Amino acid sequence: MLGWIIAIIVGALIGWLASKVMGTDSQQGAIANIAVGIIGSALGRWVFGDLLGIGSAQAAGGFSLAGLAFGIIGAVVLIWILKLVGVFK
């Protein structure tokens, strides 16, 4: 149970920071920030860790500096993709 709570809190933080970077913070609510943070962290782990082989990217979404950094990068990429398809303006 505690793992889910931490995932939601870290996901919300990552989603919020990524929305600030991308300028979409006024368009998203808390649930969207959590979803973008969690999905973006998984995307960051997959792209940077699995595809590009960056070892520290496996921590994406974790509560560490590397985990937060790669989670934010993945969430920024996700928001960029969502902007391309018209979900965010």
Side-chain angles (χ1 to χ4, degrees):
M1 180 70 173
L2 188 60
W4 281 103
I5 294 170
I6 292 172
I8 290 170
I9 292 169
V10 172
L13 176 65
I14 289 171
W16 178 74
L17 289 170
S19 69
K20 289 289 188 186
V21 169
M22 295 299 290
T24 60
D25 56 319
S26 63
Q27 298 174 10
Q28 297 180 192
I31 300 298
N33 279 338
I34 292 167
V36 165
I38 292 172
I39 295 168
S41 293
L43 179 65
R45 180 180 298 146
W46 178 67
V47 169
F48 298 106
D50 296 338
L51 294 180
L52 299 178
I54 300 172
S56 60
Q58 293 300 324
F63 202 68
S64 66
L65 187 57
L68 292 173
F70 281 106
I72 292 168
I73 293 168
V76 165
V77 170
L78 177 62
I79 292 172
W80 179 74
I81 292 168
L82 293 173
K83 279 185 160 186
L84 281 179
V85 297
V87 175
F88 293 129
K89 293 179 175 87

